[in-house]
Amino acid sequence: MTAAATLISGPARVDSSPRALARRLQPGDVAIVDALDLDKGAAAALAERRPVAVVNAQSCISGRLPTTGALVLLEAGIPVVESAGPAALAIRDGAAVTVEGGTISAGGGSSLEGTRLTLETVTARVRAADEDLHVHVASFTATALDLLDQDADLLLDGIGLPELRLPIEGRPVVVVTSRFTGSDEVLARFARERRPIVIGVGEGADAARAAGLNPRIVLGDVDGVSEDALRRASQVVVHDGEGRDAGRARALAIGLTHDWCEAGLASEDVALLAAHAAGASVVILAGAREGLLEYVSDRSTAGAGALLSRLVASGSVVDASVLGAVYRHRYSAVMSWGAFGLALGALLLAAWGTAEGHDAIESAWTWLADTLGGGR
């Protein structure tokens, strides 16, 4: 039996969003996603959870862009089946699934046929797509210029941004997007020590809470955000760059006090610009896009808007992924003096155990007593 025909089985975990799925994926699961041109960051989030296989309803690399998500999974030893079709998303979450070659079977139902990927075929497709990348970059640049002309007041002057009511000026802010997987120990330590204001963008609010962060501001489409996260927030700003009303309807239905923002940018970009405009000392993006390709691969204007927002706020923005390289643990005065006291005590105890040290300590104590006594 060849490697491609090896039988793989496990419980299905289904979500159209790879990043959202990664937050609840467990080792041994079969991940089923719906991602045209699976990007590197989303694939890395899946790979970290160690599923036994990843099934994509769409093509992992269509040839439109040299996306390397499939390579990330394959190099991690995780089998990948692509183009399984929309019926893959109808598989019941938790159902027993078997994958053999490109065939996916679930619970005695009809089988689905996809394409089992190999390193050789994916590498060749990435190489071919890379040759046409300059065309997509040119198109992306034109889109960015159009967006800058259309939303100059918002991007350059902050007109239309929501007013954040918490005192932000001079304080660090962490913006947590829905792409955040919650596995960042450096960010968690930074949050404990520096007490930043955390902004959860849409479902990123729940991702932040799962990571031990406390999102005091929730901004974005709140339709998929837990009511607990919404109730615990000091401010909720309902926003949907595409103009949908589901989030606002949810807020009204549960009687949630909220603000409203009509900006046309994506919610994570609105959060970034609002924090920057409010005077944040630093804005840390948790779940940011990784590299130019992730911006270019977004077929809507969202990628262009994200890049422009990063440029506008560039003086205060840091990706959480590089926080470990620029942030150093800060020890409190109590901890520093405590460590000094312990070291001094250990030194005195060691000296007391020797004749010379014993005599020196007694002499020092006598001198100190005479000095203090003489000053009465």
Side-chain angles (χ1 to χ4, degrees):
M1 182 177 287
T2 65
T6 302
L7 185 67
I8 301 167
S9 62
R13 300 295 173 217
V14 186
D15 198 305
S16 59
S17 168
R19 293 180 185 271
L21 181 60
R23 290 196 292 271
R24 61 187 180 89
L25 199 62
Q26 298 296 321
D29 289 343
V30 175
I32 301 177
V33 299
D34 183 31
L36 180 64
D37 292 322
L38 181 65
D39 64 79
K40 178 181 178 181
L46 292 173
E48 186 176 356
R49 309 300 292 186
R50 304 308 305 172
V52 291
V54 172
V55 176
N56 191 354
Q58 300 194 66
S59 174
C60 291
I61 174 167
S62 66
R64 185 175 58 90
L65 290 167
T67 46
T68 56
L71 277 179
V72 169
L73 293 169
L74 292 172
E75 289 173 351
I78 300 171
V80 181
V81 176
E82 68 167 6
S83 303
L89 300 174
I91 294 175
R92 180 176 56 83
D93 200 271
V97 169
T98 60
V99 179
E100 187 171 11
T103 303
I104 306 103
S105 304
S110 58
S111 298
L112 305 176
E113 290 295 334
T115 301
R116 179 75 172 264
L117 297 178
T118 66
L119 277 171
E120 293 75 14
T121 57
V122 172
T123 301
R125 287 160 66 180
V126 170
R127 188 179 301 115
D130 191 48
E131 295 175 358
D132 294 329
L133 180 59
H134 66 283
V135 176
H136 300 291
V137 172
S139 175
F140 173 82
T141 303
T143 300
L145 291 175
D146 289 342
L147 186 62
L148 180 60
D149 181 60
Q150 173 186 325
D151 289 329
D153 289 343
L154 175 68
L155 287 163
L156 302 180
D157 300 320
I159 298 174
L161 290 175
E163 180 181 353
L164 304 182
R165 294 196 296 270
L166 293 177
I168 286 179
E169 186 170 2
R171 295 187 60 183
V173 173
V174 176
V175 175
V176 182
T177 76
S178 60
R179 289 187 295 271
F180 179 60
T181 60
S183 56
D184 194 326
E185 294 181 3
V186 176
L187 179 60
R189 186 170 69 244
F190 175 86
R192 288 193 299 269
E193 295 172 1
R194 298 293 300 276
R195 302 294 183 186
I197 291 176
V198 178
I199 303 177
V201 179
E203 295 180 7
D206 288 318
R209 291 198 62 207
L213 304 174
N214 178 29
R216 298 188 61 193
I217 299 174
V218 178
L219 188 154
D221 181 8
V222 302
D223 187 40
V225 182
S226 69
E227 186 170 344
D228 190 37
L230 294 173
R231 298 290 186 193
R232 289 175 178 269
S234 301
Q235 181 181 8
V236 175
V237 181
V238 178
H239 168 262
D240 192 316
E242 297 181 6
R244 294 172 297 201
D245 291 327
R248 196 170 195 179
R250 166 101 187 283
L252 292 172
I254 64 176
L256 182 70
T257 300
H258 64 279
D259 299 313
W260 173 252
C261 176
E262 296 182 351
L265 295 176
S267 296
E268 61 191 80
D269 304 322
V270 172
L272 167 63
L273 291 172
H276 175 70
S281 60
V282 63
V283 182
I284 298 169
L285 279 176
R289 289 176 169 84
E290 298 180 5
L292 178 63
L293 190 59
E294 279 209 42
Y295 291 94
V296 175
S297 62
D298 197 320
R299 291 172 292 173
S300 66
T301 59
L307 185 58
L308 289 172
S309 299
R310 289 290 296 267
L311 290 174
V312 169
S314 59
S316 59
V317 181
V318 175
D319 282 0
S321 60
V322 301
L323 191 60
V326 298
Y327 176 67
R328 293 294 178 266
H329 180 68
R330 184 176 65 184
Y331 295 98
S332 66
V334 173
M335 184 178 295
S336 299
W337 280 109
F340 175 75
L342 288 174
L344 181 60
L347 181 63
L348 291 174
L349 185 62
W352 186 264
T354 65
E356 296 81 359
H358 186 277
D359 292 343
I361 292 173
E362 281 196 336
S363 298
W365 180 260
T366 301
W367 172 84
L368 181 61
D370 291 344
T371 300
L372 295 176
R376 292 174 183 172

